[in-house]
Amino acid sequence: SPLYKVRDFKVEDATAHSILVGWMGSAVDAEGKELGDADTAEGQYKTAAVFPAGSAMNVTKTLTFSRKGPFDVKAEYEHPEALLPGTPKELGTFRIELPP
């Protein structure tokens, strides 16, 4: 309606909880060529906070893994104790198949 004027405003969505991505370490991880600690042994489960609490939503991130075979990537909340009761920690597990 032309009788009402509203000031300009901006709405920004942000994540309330940190989201981790996890994977099993490989020999490449041990050499320090992949995301994570360089001193991590092969076969050790590793995680990285990809979306920290308070980060903007609707953001795309690219992760690079140097792998020679198929592997699994798991997404989960970092602090399950901060979630509502009955909310699972795990968001999903994704199998990455490499082309032959």
Side-chain angles (χ1 to χ4, degrees):
S1 167
L3 298 176
Y4 296 100
K5 293 199 180 211
V6 178
R7 291 181 125 175
D8 289 338
F9 64 93
K10 182 177 179 182
V11 176
E12 294 181 5
D13 285 332
T15 60
H17 305 284
S18 295
I19 296 176
L20 300 175
V21 171
W23 66 94
M24 291 302 290
S26 70
V28 174
D29 291 339
E31 295 171 10
K33 294 181 182 175
E34 192 172 318
L35 184 65
D37 296 331
D39 57 351
T40 303
E42 181 173 358
Q44 187 175 5
Y45 185 72
K46 300 172 60 173
T47 61
V50 178
F51 299 101
S55 63
M57 294 181 76
N58 248 356
V59 173
T60 303
K61 300 228 177 168
T62 302
L63 303 176
T64 301
F65 295 92
S66 299
R67 300 297 170 122
K68 294 181 181 178
F71 64 100
D72 293 326
V73 176
K74 182 177 181 181
E76 59 190 5
Y77 289 110
E78 183 174 14
H79 302 290
E81 65 278 359
L83 301 173
L84 293 173
T87 304
K89 176 183 178 177
E90 296 81 20
L91 294 169
T93 300
F94 308 94
R95 180 82 174 157
I96 311 299
E97 298 285 343
L98 301 176

